[in-house]
Amino acid sequence: MPLAMARVTTARPARYVKQLVSHMGHKADAALASDGRGTITVASGTCTLTPTPDRLDLTATAVDAESLARVQDVITRHLVRFATQEELAVEWTAPTDGGELEPTAPVVGEYLLSHHTPADDVLGELAVATREAAGDAAHMQVSSDEGALLTMLTRLTGARFAVEVGVFTGYSSLCIARGLADGGRLLACDVSEEWAAVGRPYWERAGVADLIDLRIAPALETLRALDAEPVIDIAFIDADKDNYPAYYEEIVRRLRPGGLVVLDNVFLGGRVLDPAYQEARHLAMRGLNDMITRDERVHSVMLPVRDGVTIAQRR
């Protein structure tokens, strides 16, 4: 369970961050961000230091409990050593498993769901049909607030050509199709005709069925068959996580300037924050999240919506 946090009360948080980064930079990988946050990596683990007006927030992560303890010890010892004008209390929380994190507190999530334009009857009935058909797998459907976000982003981009990777029962497809400009179309990629069939009647009822080109085939094959020119206005990725990096690359190179790619589940239930999780999907998503922040082709933002949503805009 290699995640732990500490809140250190102090009137000099920014000063301590600078001192720690400067000192530790000679013996570890240390960096100071423009917003004042510091990051120090030692012993197969990392500590992020975030200054606030009256405290210093520490978040330590590591690949295992032993490495986590070393990170905590190193940061605590150096921080206390620098505190020559006050006595600091560095009390770490018990180690936590990243898979047990709540990206947003349940009460916040409920408030968000009750404060967006409500889903209409067609979307509501499709959500019910999905729960009845999919049972426990129904969680793969996007939430109503995320669906509203997809419709809004599609409209804001004036999208005439949209791409979706991962259709499931077609709730997100319907949301994207509703946001398309006149004459627009959605290329929807999935490998399951069975699940997509659940949504087809609702696409018809919403009057968007003719706008959705459903391709039942491996998505990479479908994407690589597209014109290499930048023709995509908006894309949504919500499919098998191992292939997210490949989907992202095929889409970004075809995004028009100003076009958007939206990626769902970038937190993987909090597991991407916890380096103890080393399965292929965790490594793929963690690596992609890091890469997008360095990708000079896009401007990006990661939002704590449901299981994490990244929005990247082509420069």
Side-chain angles (χ1 to χ4, degrees):
M1 298 186 291
L3 284 170
M5 290 163 280
R7 286 187 168 181
V8 183
T9 301
T10 174
R12 303 177 176 86
R15 176 183 175 183
Y16 289 132
V17 174
K18 291 178 181 178
Q19 285 181 310
L20 282 164
V21 169
S22 175
H23 179 77
M24 297 297 294
H26 301 296
K27 58 185 72 175
D29 184 4
L32 182 66
S34 59
D35 59 4
R37 290 178 303 110
T39 303
I40 298 172
T41 300
V42 292
S44 300
T46 298
C47 185
T48 301
L49 308 94
T50 304
T52 71
D54 59 357
R55 69 174 189 267
L56 177 59
D57 289 343
L58 309 175
T59 303
T61 62
V63 296
D64 54 43
E66 182 178 348
S67 297
L68 179 65
R70 290 202 295 270
V71 173
Q72 292 172 284
D73 178 65
V74 168
I75 297 300
T76 300
R77 283 191 292 106
H78 283 82
L79 183 57
V80 171
R81 184 184 306 165
F82 288 134
T84 57
Q85 301 180 39
E86 61 182 328
E87 185 174 340
L88 297 182
V90 184
E91 298 180 0
W92 293 92
T93 62
T96 302
D97 188 309
E100 298 174 357
L101 293 177
E102 288 282 354
T104 57
V107 65
V108 176
E110 289 303 316
Y111 193 78
L112 293 175
L113 284 171
S114 61
H115 287 82
H116 67 85
T117 302
D120 65 5
D121 290 345
V122 177
L123 284 171
E125 291 172 23
L126 174 52
V128 171
T130 298
R131 291 195 294 272
E132 292 176 348
D136 291 343
H139 71 275
M140 294 193 297
Q141 175 186 272
V142 300
S143 59
S144 58
D145 54 344
E146 191 174 349
L149 176 64
L150 288 172
T151 301
M152 183 178 293
L153 291 174
T154 305
R155 285 180 178 148
L156 288 172
T157 57
R160 295 177 60 84
F161 181 44
V163 172
E164 179 182 33
V165 180
V167 173
F168 191 39
T169 60
Y171 189 104
S172 53
S173 310
L174 199 164
C175 292
I176 295 169
R178 278 181 162 173
L180 290 170
D182 290 345
R185 70 183 183 98
L186 166 63
L187 175 63
C189 308
D190 208 292
V191 292
S192 173
E193 176 64 49
E194 178 184 0
W195 287 127
V198 174
R200 284 184 183 275
Y202 300 91
W203 297 350
E204 294 283 353
R205 284 178 53 189
V208 299
D210 292 343
L211 309 181
I212 301 174
D213 179 8
L214 178 64
R215 302 284 182 89
I216 302 298
L220 279 176
E221 293 181 6
T222 302
L223 294 174
R224 287 168 177 164
L226 292 174
D227 194 319
E229 295 299 313
V231 295
I232 299 174
D233 297 305
I234 187 169
F236 179 52
I237 303 176
D238 184 17
D240 55 305
K241 311 313 173 190
D242 296 16
N243 278 318
Y244 261 45
Y247 298 145
Y248 174 83
E249 184 58 36
E250 294 299 330
I251 286 169
V252 166
R253 66 176 59 180
R254 294 174 172 84
L255 271 182
R256 66 161 172 82
L260 302 179
V261 55
V262 183
L263 302 95
D264 198 16
N265 304 121
V266 296
F267 292 163
L268 287 183
R271 291 170 178 81
V272 295
L273 286 71
D274 187 341
Y277 286 90
Q278 293 287 312
E279 295 180 19
R281 67 182 185 278
H282 306 132
L283 297 175
M285 188 68 77
R286 196 175 291 130
L288 179 59
N289 289 343
D290 291 342
M291 187 276 283
I292 291 175
T293 65
R294 301 188 302 268
D295 190 349
E296 295 183 352
R297 298 172 297 176
V298 301
H299 297 288
S300 68
V301 63
M302 182 180 287
L303 305 175
V305 176
R306 301 304 151 201
D307 191 29
V309 174
T310 290
I311 303 173
Q313 184 179 43
R314 193 71 153 90
R315 294 174 188 253

